[in-house]
Amino acid sequence: HGATEVEETGTEALPRRTPAPAWPPTAKGEEGDFCLRSSDCAAGLCCARHFWSKICKPVLREGQVCTRHRRKGSHGLEIFQRCHCAEGLACRLQREHGPADTSRLHTCQRH
C-alpha cells in the first residue's frame, strides 16, 4: 500500500494569528469595560477606579449619591471611585427635612 493517510478536518491548515488588541480601543467602552481615561468610554460613562483597575462607570444623575472632595488629590485614595455628576448638576450636601440635619451625604442636584 505505501500511501500515507491524510486526515481531513474540514478546515484549511492556516497559521493561527491572534490579532494584537487594538489600543486605544476602536469602539468606545461600555459599562464595566476596562479603560485608561474617560475618553475611552462611551457617552454617559466615565473612567473610574474599581479596586486596582479602572472601568467605565455611569455618570451620576440627579438624586444619586456623589463624592465631594475637600482636598485636591484625595480622589486618588479611593478604590471605588464614582463618576462626576452629569452636566447641569452639582455635588451638594443633601438637605434633610428633619429637625437634626446630621446627614453628611452629598447628592447630584440642579444648580
Side-chain angles (χ1 to χ4, degrees), residues 32-106:
D33 289 348
F34 289 104
C35 56
L36 291 177
R37 59 192 67 81
S38 291
S39 59
D40 296 337
C41 301
L45 301 174
C46 84
C47 189
R49 189 179 328 282
H50 189 80
F51 286 113
W52 290 271
S53 57
K54 293 174 94 178
I55 62 170
C56 296
K57 294 183 180 185
V59 169
L60 301 174
R61 295 184 306 274
E62 189 171 8
Q64 289 187 305
V65 175
C66 54
T67 306
R68 180 81 183 234
H69 299 285
R70 297 185 197 289
R71 289 183 307 281
K72 201 119 172 104
S74 63
H75 206 271
L77 303 175
E78 295 176 271
I79 62 167
F80 295 110
Q81 287 178 335
R82 290 187 177 107
C83 286
H84 51 275
C85 294
E87 203 170 317
L89 301 176
C91 188
R92 295 196 180 124
L93 189 62
Q94 184 173 304
R95 290 178 217 87
E96 293 294 325
H97 299 291
D101 197 275
T102 57
S103 174
R104 307 297 296 157
L105 210 58
H106 289 76

